[in-house]
Amino acid sequence: MKSKYIWFFAMMVLSFSAMSQEKYSVNYSVGIPTGDTADFTESVSWRGVGFDYTHMLNQEWGVGISASLQTFYDDLGYVTTTEGKETVSANRYNYINSLPIYATGSYFINESADFTPFVSLGVGVMYNQKEQDLGLHVFEEEAWQFSLRPEVGFEYDVSYGLGLRAAARYNAAFKSGDLEGLSHFSIAVGVIWTN
């Protein structure tokens, strides 16, 4: 009797995986600092890359994972900083490296057409490394922060199994330990392929 249930369950899993569609995308992203991130590095980041994987549950809903890396950088030039009795004059550079990793849920509108808009929500963590280089002195803080990422975008099928993807994302990180929440907005453009 138990073997019937095991076989039934195995057949359901196999048929589900045979009907499912997997989507993969590699993206280039431009990062726009917001909040505490903009207070530390106000320049737009042109250094970003990401990867997204979506397992389609049906024609409209998908679940997956998303990871990206965005590097923010500001050259503040030659500055003089005084803290307590110590004064340092040197070139100052500010860096923030953000590595968000999310579990995602996505809703695709009009999946059967070539042009497919979608909305997505990611829940996960973001590793943020905040660094200030002042001459030979390096001041660094880092933390894993709880993070949410709402996203809106579209996919466009170019040919069978290959397409283009564009999305606007807000990576919201929350304060962790002594490090403030370092959030940023990003625009991601890339290629997508399906199996």
Side-chain angles (χ1 to χ4, degrees):
M1 185 67 153
K2 281 186 179 180
S3 64
K4 282 185 186 178
Y5 291 117
I6 292 172
W7 276 107
F8 176 74
F9 181 73
M11 294 308 286
M12 291 296 290
V13 168
L14 288 174
S15 65
F16 176 74
S17 64
M19 294 186 310
S20 68
Q21 182 181 23
E22 312 290 321
K23 294 183 177 189
Y24 307 89
S25 70
V26 175
N27 307 298
Y28 167 74
S29 66
V30 176
I32 302 161
T34 61
D36 290 322
T37 305
D39 291 342
F40 190 69
T41 57
E42 59 187 31
S43 299
V44 171
S45 168
W46 299 95
R47 296 187 262 181
V49 64
F51 174 78
D52 297 300
Y53 163 78
T54 304
H55 172 80
M56 295 302 295
L57 300 173
N58 56 36
Q59 289 291 332
E60 296 154 345
W61 292 97
V63 294
I65 57 171
S66 177
S68 61
L69 176 64
Q70 194 76 47
T71 300
F72 295 91
Y73 161 76
D74 261 350
D75 180 354
L76 301 177
Y78 193 81
V79 298
T80 300
T81 303
T82 301
E83 284 195 30
K85 294 181 180 181
E86 184 176 307
T87 300
V88 177
S89 295
N91 287 320
R92 179 174 166 186
Y93 304 95
N94 289 350
Y95 299 93
I96 293 178
N97 294 307
S98 290
L99 174 68
I101 303 170
Y102 299 106
T104 60
S106 303
Y107 178 72
F108 295 86
I109 304 160
N110 197 16
E111 171 65 26
S112 60
D114 287 342
F115 179 81
T116 307
F118 68 90
V119 293
S120 178
L121 178 65
V123 178
V125 295
M126 187 185 314
Y127 171 76
N128 278 315
Q129 178 189 33
K130 179 179 173 183
E131 181 179 308
Q132 181 183 93
D133 292 354
L134 189 59
L136 298 175
H137 303 282
V138 176
F139 306 98
E140 184 179 300
E141 295 177 85
E142 59 185 6
W144 286 95
Q145 300 177 316
F146 175 72
S147 183
L148 296 173
R149 188 199 70 199
E151 174 182 27
V152 61
F154 69 88
E155 296 174 355
Y156 181 75
D157 289 334
V158 176
S159 67
Y160 180 76
L162 185 64
L164 302 174
R165 178 183 175 121
R169 304 169 166 176
Y170 184 69
N171 297 279
F174 298 91
K175 181 176 171 57
S176 176
D178 292 335
L179 189 61
E180 62 274 8
L182 298 173
S183 303
H184 64 276
F185 179 77
S186 65
I187 299 168
V189 178
V191 294
I192 185 167
W193 63 96
T194 61
N195 66 345

